[in-house]
Amino acid sequence: MPRQILDRLWERGRAFLGTDLAILGGAMSWISERNLVAAISNGGGFGVIACGSMGPDLLAAEIEATKALTGKPFGVNLITMHPQLDELIDVCGAAKVSHIVLAGGLPTSAAIKRAKDHGAKVVCFAPALVLAKKLIRSGADALVVEGAEAGGHIGPVSTSVLAQEILPEIRDVPIFVAGGIGRGEAILSYLEMGAAGCQLGTRFVCATECVAHANFKKSFIRASAREAQPSVQIDADFPVIPVRALANNATKRFMDFQQEVIARFRKGEVAKDAAQLEIEHFWAGALKRAVIDGDVENGSLMAGQSVGMVTREQPAQEIMAELVAQAEAALAARHGLIQKAS
Ligand SMILES: Cc1cc2nc3c(=O)[nH]c(=O)nc-3n(C[C@H](O)[C@H](O)[C@H](O)COP(=O)(O)O)c2cc1C
């Protein structure tokens, strides 16, 4: 009975994704490659390859390798500011990728159209209600509403507020809620507010199938929510795009580094543009250093606040079964209450 109610609640999301569960594995650079993506899709969810900085040939190979591991639907996440975005969209088109997620800034109508002309369903990130409406006018087939609790690059508004602002207003397309979700009860509550499904990233990092280095996984298992902090900008003239990550040596050094660079700028030793670029380049290659090389002190440990709910390594399928069981138990408890009251 609870499962039937759950299936009714996320039916729109399941139909859109073509899956048993309306759970998206949020694309994570270096982490969401063939193994984790296939494991999530084979487990009933919807895996998404993170293209990140891959070029067209590497992406084509990753898509083929994923297809070899799963016959279930999966998607590809492309970063809109990638210099070869058009070619990457065409690679997805040639490989008949069913869903393309356009992330990292607002995609142009042209990029959305290019993806749709290939027959793909296009998913975009909506950081505010006006932008959600704009993206739908531009042709987005579904939206992800991701709040500041999430791991990686974040906006300023929390998931709970964004969900309240956007879910009651948008009925045209399915909406998936992301950011800070670690348990099934939270998924259920967003479904009850009108979401079609949810997207989780942090919770999948310690999946057995995930190729992240053992040190990276250990950092997640040890960490509590308060350690997943946004990067700090120290000077209004030198913007820093906020990224939520576990505090480590690198996050401390980033503060000193900004101070040094800005001091050199103030002394006239470096131009403003060059100083800004130096600050932006501080994190270049840092996620790979932590995820692949296991350097958890000098790399970037991008993680969301739900990291405190990551307690052990377990198969992706088991993670999703746990989430579903928690949602079902919450529904059963409510049903019991309703029966008692009547
Ligand atoms: C390590 C890490 C890397 C990420 N990389 C990307 C990325 O390349 N592209 C993207 O759109 N989102 C990226 N994200 C965000 C996830 O796709 C997802 O939306 C987010 O993790 C959801 O919030 P949660 O971490 O609270 O579950 C990343 C998140 C993490 C934790």
Side-chain angles (χ1 to χ4, degrees), residues 23-315:
I23 296 175
L24 283 140
M28 296 177 278
S29 292
W30 299 106
I31 294 171
S32 300
E33 49 72 84
R34 62 193 78 174
N35 292 291
L36 180 60
V37 173
I40 292 174
S41 290
N42 287 334
F46 189 84
V48 182
I49 295 175
C51 174
S53 55
M54 277 184 221
D57 292 347
L58 269 184
L59 178 63
E62 202 56 42
I63 294 169
E64 284 319 304
T66 307
K67 278 186 187 166
L69 296 175
T70 182
K72 298 283 172 74
F74 65 88
V76 173
N77 175 303
L78 303 175
I79 307 289
T80 52
M81 57 251 204
H82 194 298
Q84 290 174 292
L85 180 64
D86 285 351
E87 290 94 317
L88 295 170
I89 292 174
D90 294 346
V91 162
C92 293
K96 307 236 169 312
V97 170
S98 58
H99 298 66
I100 298 179
V101 183
L102 294 174
L106 276 194
T108 61
S109 303
I112 295 175
K113 183 174 180 305
R114 194 177 188 103
K116 288 178 72 126
D117 285 349
H118 283 296
K121 289 175 184 156
V122 177
V123 183
C124 301
F125 283 78
L129 180 59
V130 280
L131 296 172
K133 289 180 177 166
K134 182 177 183 307
L135 287 165
I136 294 169
R137 282 197 303 274
S138 301
D141 298 301
L143 298 174
V144 175
V145 168
E146 184 182 70
E149 298 92 319
H153 293 83
I154 51 170
V157 183
S158 68
T159 306
S160 64
V161 170
L162 277 182
Q164 291 173 76
E165 280 185 2
I166 297 179
L167 291 175
E169 299 292 331
I170 305 275
R171 290 282 173 260
D172 324 37
V173 301
I175 299 185
F176 297 87
V177 174
I181 300 173
R183 289 187 56 100
E185 293 89 340
I187 294 178
L188 176 63
S189 73
Y190 288 124
L191 295 177
E192 288 176 334
M193 286 172 70
C198 287
Q199 167 163 306
L200 286 74
T202 298
R203 193 73 174 75
F204 285 115
V205 166
C206 291
T208 319
E209 301 87 349
C210 171
V211 295
H213 196 282
N215 294 350
F216 193 83
K217 291 185 178 180
K218 260 186 230 148
S219 303
F220 270 56
I221 290 166
R222 285 195 194 125
S224 60
R226 62 175 57 217
E227 288 163 68
Q229 299 165 1
S231 48
V232 178
Q233 170 181 330
I234 65 163
D235 190 308
D237 287 339
F238 291 91
V240 166
I241 300 168
V243 170
R244 191 179 292 286
L246 298 180
N248 64 358
N249 266 349
T251 54
K252 275 191 224 117
R253 268 202 301 111
F254 183 52
M255 308 288 278
D256 298 340
F257 184 77
Q258 288 180 78
Q259 246 157 8
E260 286 159 26
V261 173
I262 293 164
R264 278 197 278 123
F265 162 70
R266 302 263 179 252
K267 282 192 229 153
E269 290 171 14
V270 60
K272 184 151 192 271
D273 288 359
Q276 178 68 41
L277 216 58
E278 275 193 52
I279 291 173
E280 279 166 23
H281 280 177
F282 178 88
W283 292 108
L287 183 60
K288 182 179 182 224
R289 211 173 303 141
V291 173
I292 305 296
D293 306 339
D295 183 352
V296 293
E297 278 311 327
N298 302 304
S300 168
L301 294 174
M302 287 185 192
Q305 291 183 329
S306 60
V307 72
M309 288 174 262
V310 177
T311 55
R312 63 187 188 284
E313 203 173 18
Q314 54 188 145

